[in-house]
Amino acid sequence: MLETIILIGLMFLLIFVGVPICFAFAGVSVAGLLLIGNNPINVIPQGLFGGMNSFTILAIPFFVFAGELMNYGGITRRLVRFSTLLIGRMKASLAQVNIVASMFFGGITGSAVADTSSVGGMLIPAMIEEGYEPDFSVAVTASSSVIGPIIPPSIVMVVYGATVSTSIGAMFLGGIIPGILVGLALMTVVALMAGKQDFPRRTERFSRKEAVEIILAAIFPLGMPLLILGGILSGIFTPSEAGAVSAAYSLAVGAFITRGKIFRAVPHMLLKTAKTTAGILFIMGNAMIISRIFAYLRVQQSLGLFVSTYLDNKILFLIFVNILLLFMGMFMEGSATIILLAPILAPIAASLGIHPVQFGLIMCMNAVIGNATPPVGVCLFIGCGIGRIKLWEGAKKIAPFILAEILVLLMVSYIPALTIALPRAAGLIK
């Protein structure tokens, strides 16, 4: 137990002093090997390779690259226009457009950071110019970007599926209802706030001709999630192959449909994709070493004993898991949290009768909510940078939106049908 406390304390210390999470994991893995002793140095490269050696992980760079292609291909503006058409001229309409656009954008990229950068880069300045307070504009954008990794496709679900060997197709399908519920919850918060505050109302009207043009312009971008889910559910391609198909589809749409100038930006997009993927893979490799160290230290057995002694039913266990993961999400990137804790918590959840797909989505939702929570919420950081406000200003305004997301998280935790009904109907799970 002492060795485990030392390693966890070292991890948080490294993160607090500003060490990137992937290198913090590396430091902990090396320190753990030195702490338990009698381990040859070749354990490190073997562990790194073992953590990365998965065909499923190939989906990650493809989905990241597809998101980059969609962004450079001018997709964001089309989705915003389509969302504006759907929302109409209700009060606080641009804030509602922000949320709806994030739902559509999340169904294309599966990345909260890409959502904040793309949708936020366009809508935060637009909201401020229209009369919204900068902190509110940032809060809406950062909180709605969380929807991205919940509505399929989702990079964090690929990470979870690869880590604990859970069906990624079932995870994708199971994330549809929770993702929509999160979007509706955030829209409800905006509507309630609009009833008490003088938010601006959109006056723009679309003619029938303009409406048809907007719908036609959005058809091809919105076709990607349908293509991915349809291909996986029909058995035409695997989730990894779906990533490659999504990249090819995004390239075709950007080049020939939206006519964005993407070819000249391909080297830059490949570099960003490589950096993002390298960070995730390095975390996964070091997490493999850490998981072996924790296995040697019997952490899973100790946690299992704690659960069986004090948390011997689903309700108490899920309360514990949600509190733990929300706390971890305040300091650690979502994929890192999943890679570190999923191998420990998933077997315990299964022993309590919690379906693997449901528990996977609980972990993924906890992980992505952390993207919007201080002090290390990367989406909140990006949003505050775009809105040119201090972090604490955005954090104060985002609180009601985070509470709404936690409410949906509790629904997902205690109503299994929200996550397993669709995968079961599709025959992906029993």
Side-chain angles (χ1 to χ4, degrees), residues 3 83 88 240 243 256 384 409:
E3 292 90 343
S83 302
S240 299
F256 304 113
C384 289
L409 172 63

Side-chain angles (χ1 to χ4, degrees), residues 403-421:
L403 289 176
E405 291 172 348
I406 292 175
L407 176 62
V408 177
L409 172 63
L410 292 175
M411 293 171 61
V412 169
S413 299
Y414 297 111
I415 308 176
L418 295 178
T419 52
I420 64 177

Side-chain angles (χ1 to χ4, degrees), residues 376-394:
V376 191
V378 62
C379 292
L380 188 59
F381 268 105
I382 295 173
C384 289
I386 296 172
R388 298 182 180 181
I389 62 172
K390 298 183 184 299
L391 180 66
W392 66 268
E393 294 176 308

Side-chain angles (χ1 to χ4, degrees), residues 39-63:
N39 285 283
I41 197 67
N42 61 7
V43 169
I44 295 177
Q46 289 175 355
L48 289 174
F49 180 77
M52 304 176 190
N53 186 25
S54 171
F55 179 75
T56 305
I57 297 174
L58 281 175
I60 295 175
F62 283 124
F63 281 130

Side-chain angles (χ1 to χ4, degrees), residues 132-316:
Y132 293 88
E133 293 294 329
D135 53 356
F136 176 80
S137 305
V138 169
V140 171
T141 304
S143 59
S144 62
S145 66
V146 166
I147 304 172
I150 301 175
I151 294 179
S154 169
I155 294 173
V156 73
M157 290 183 193
V158 174
V159 172
Y160 182 89
T163 302
V164 296
S165 300
T166 299
S167 169
I168 295 175
M171 293 276 292
F172 279 4
L173 203 56
I176 293 177
I177 294 177
I180 293 173
L181 287 176
V182 171
L184 293 176
L186 297 181
M187 294 178 72
T188 302
V189 172
V190 170
L192 292 174
M193 296 176 72
K196 299 179 180 179
Q197 302 182 38
D198 187 24
F199 286 142
R201 185 190 301 269
R202 298 282 286 181
T203 58
E204 182 181 9
R205 290 178 178 270
F206 295 109
S207 66
R208 181 173 297 180
K209 180 181 178 181
E210 288 175 323
V212 171
E213 291 176 349
I214 291 171
I215 294 171
L216 291 176
I219 285 177
F220 284 100
L222 295 177
M224 194 176 88
L226 298 177
L227 174 67
I228 293 171
L229 281 177
I232 293 175
L233 295 179
S234 63
I236 297 175
F237 42 72
T238 66
S240 299
E241 294 164 345
V245 171
S246 71
Y249 182 84
S250 302
L251 182 62
V253 170
F256 304 113
I257 306 299
T258 64
R259 299 186 184 277
K261 298 178 180 179
I262 62 174
F263 286 111
R264 67 180 63 178
V266 164
H268 175 69
M269 289 186 285
L270 287 173
L271 181 60
K272 287 186 67 176
T273 300
K275 288 181 178 179
T276 302
T277 306
I280 295 174
L281 292 181
F282 195 58
I283 290 173
M284 295 185 76
N286 280 288
M288 174 66 75
I289 300 174
I290 295 174
S291 65
R292 291 178 179 176
I293 294 171
F294 282 173
Y296 178 85
L297 296 174
R298 302 178 63 83
V299 172
Q300 184 171 327
Q301 289 87 340
S302 299
L303 188 58
L305 179 62
F306 172 78
V307 170
S308 62
T309 304
Y310 301 104
L311 310 171
D312 58 347
N313 62 69
K314 296 180 185 179
I315 295 177
L316 293 177

Side-chain angles (χ1 to χ4, degrees), residues 48-91:
L48 289 174
F49 180 77
M52 304 176 190
N53 186 25
S54 171
F55 179 75
T56 305
I57 297 174
L58 281 175
I60 295 175
F62 283 124
F63 281 130
V64 173
F65 186 51
E68 292 291 333
L69 286 166
M70 282 289 187
N71 189 21
Y72 275 88
I75 298 302
T76 306
R77 186 172 299 276
R78 292 182 175 222
L79 294 178
V80 169
R81 293 278 287 174
F82 182 66
S83 302
T84 303
L85 176 65
L86 291 179
I87 292 299
R89 294 179 296 130
M90 68 171 64
K91 195 173 183 181

Side-chain angles (χ1 to χ4, degrees), residues 32-43:
L33 292 174
L34 294 175
L35 193 64
I36 62 179
N38 300 321
N39 285 283
I41 197 67
N42 61 7
V43 169

